[in-house]
Amino acid sequence: MLEGKTIIVIGATGGIGRVLSKAFVQARANVVLSARTEGKLEELIKDLGSEHAIKTRADATRPEEVEEVFAKAKAKFGSVDAVVISAGTWDRLSLGEPVANALELGKKHFEALFLPSFVVGYIAQKKFLEAGRGLIINISSHAALRPELKGNLTYGPMKAASHHFMLALRHELADTGVRVTDLAPAIVNTPEGASFLSTEEKRRQAVQPEEIANWIIENFDNPDIPDTKLFKCSLLV
């Protein structure tokens, strides 16, 4: 379905990124896998076992390293059609923590959740504007849209900032041929969610990463791709 398309996956070794990478390879796309840890990238590239997948280690908060990812993708496959930004972490912060701890977590979430979306998104739009086309897909969270969720005093706001940046970028790029969409899943069934997906029933009720992958594949060429896609689950949070 994606034969001949080239997709960069930022955060390819994480739970969502890994499933997306596999799904894109199975859909016959050229996939450029990027993450910070070389060992995990090596493991993933061996698991995929495809000549249409390459790896390149990069820190998504460093512009020069992101530029190199695009350069390697173009050198190998000729062009880049899309970039998926699936980088981040999650830690709970509610009331009661000392200010110093809250500040430390806020800085951590800024660097892990907002900065990759901003750096990669900004560089991607420049590359895609040069080509006259392209698709930027950001994975944010339902926490970006639901301030009532408890324990998200830093995670939610940083995901909201990432989400808002993508909406603003989309408006800036209107009628340019460069499309932007922000995906906001609820709790996703990944290894990273094991602490609160402790039973098979909870894992079943969570958003499945394959659902996200299938949506991206189905909407890859959609000229009217929505600015936001919320993936719901029945778990109480």
Side-chain angles (χ1 to χ4, degrees), residues 56-125:
T56 174
R57 196 213 70 82
D59 182 337
T61 68
R62 296 182 177 273
E64 67 278 8
E65 296 186 16
V66 175
E67 292 272 6
E68 185 64 17
V69 173
F70 276 86
K72 289 182 177 178
K74 188 173 182 179
K76 174 66 176 179
F77 299 116
S79 63
V80 179
D81 297 282
V83 60
V84 178
I85 309 163
S86 179
T89 185
W90 184 83
D91 301 277
R92 180 178 293 277
L93 176 67
S94 293
L95 301 179
E97 283 290 330
V99 173
N101 293 359
L103 181 58
E104 181 179 356
L105 188 57
K107 290 179 178 178
K108 175 184 176 181
H109 280 163
F110 171 79
E111 294 180 354
L113 303 175
F114 174 72
L115 210 51
S117 297
F118 181 82
V119 172
V120 177
Y122 197 80
I123 290 174
Q125 60 85 19

Side-chain angles (χ1 to χ4, degrees), residues 5-235:
K5 306 290 187 180
T6 298
I7 307 171
I8 295 173
V9 181
I10 302 292
T13 59
I16 296 176
R18 191 179 187 93
V19 171
L20 296 183
S21 299
K22 289 183 177 181
F24 297 155
V25 166
Q26 291 171 355
R28 302 183 65 82
N30 303 317
V31 184
V32 181
L33 313 167
S34 183
R36 290 184 298 176
T37 306
E38 180 65 33
K40 291 183 179 180
L41 280 171
E42 186 64 33
E43 176 188 333
L44 178 56
I45 200 77
K46 288 181 179 178
D47 185 32
L48 293 177
S50 171
E51 62 181 10
H52 296 289
I54 64 171
K55 63 179 178 65
T56 174
R57 196 213 70 82
D59 182 337
T61 68
R62 296 182 177 273
E64 67 278 8
E65 296 186 16
V66 175
E67 292 272 6
E68 185 64 17
V69 173
F70 276 86
K72 289 182 177 178
K74 188 173 182 179
K76 174 66 176 179
F77 299 116
S79 63
V80 179
D81 297 282
V83 60
V84 178
I85 309 163
S86 179
T89 185
W90 184 83
D91 301 277
R92 180 178 293 277
L93 176 67
S94 293
L95 301 179
E97 283 290 330
V99 173
N101 293 359
L103 181 58
E104 181 179 356
L105 188 57
K107 290 179 178 178
K108 175 184 176 181
H109 280 163
F110 171 79
E111 294 180 354
L113 303 175
F114 174 72
L115 210 51
S117 297
F118 181 82
V119 172
V120 177
Y122 197 80
I123 290 174
Q125 60 85 19
K126 291 173 67 69
K127 303 295 183 183
F128 291 153
L129 278 175
E130 293 172 1
R133 60 178 180 81
L135 174 60
I136 301 171
I137 302 170
N138 186 59
I139 310 293
S140 65
S141 168
H142 72 146
L145 311 173
R146 298 181 60 193
E148 76 278 9
L149 295 175
K150 301 293 186 181
N152 285 287
L153 288 178
T154 54
Y155 178 85
M158 292 307 164
K159 280 294 190 181
S162 169
H163 170 74
H164 186 92
F165 171 68
M166 289 296 157
L167 295 183
L169 192 61
R170 179 181 171 110
H171 284 284
E172 292 273 352
L173 293 167
D175 303 319
T176 66
V178 182
R179 295 169 296 139
V180 181
T181 187
D182 187 83
L183 311 188
I187 298 173
V188 183
N189 182 20
T190 65
E192 291 86 349
S195 62
F196 40 85
L197 296 176
S198 55
T199 67
E200 181 59 35
E201 178 63 17
K202 288 182 178 180
R203 289 189 289 272
R204 187 189 64 80
Q205 291 177 332
V207 175
Q208 304 305 311
E210 292 81 6
E211 179 185 352
I212 300 173
N214 290 337
W215 188 91
I216 292 173
I217 292 171
E218 291 170 2
N219 287 275
F220 196 85
D221 292 318
N222 181 1
D224 300 313
I225 195 167
D227 57 20
T228 305
K229 169 61 178 177
L230 178 63
F231 293 86
K232 300 179 180 180
C233 74
S234 57
L235 285 170

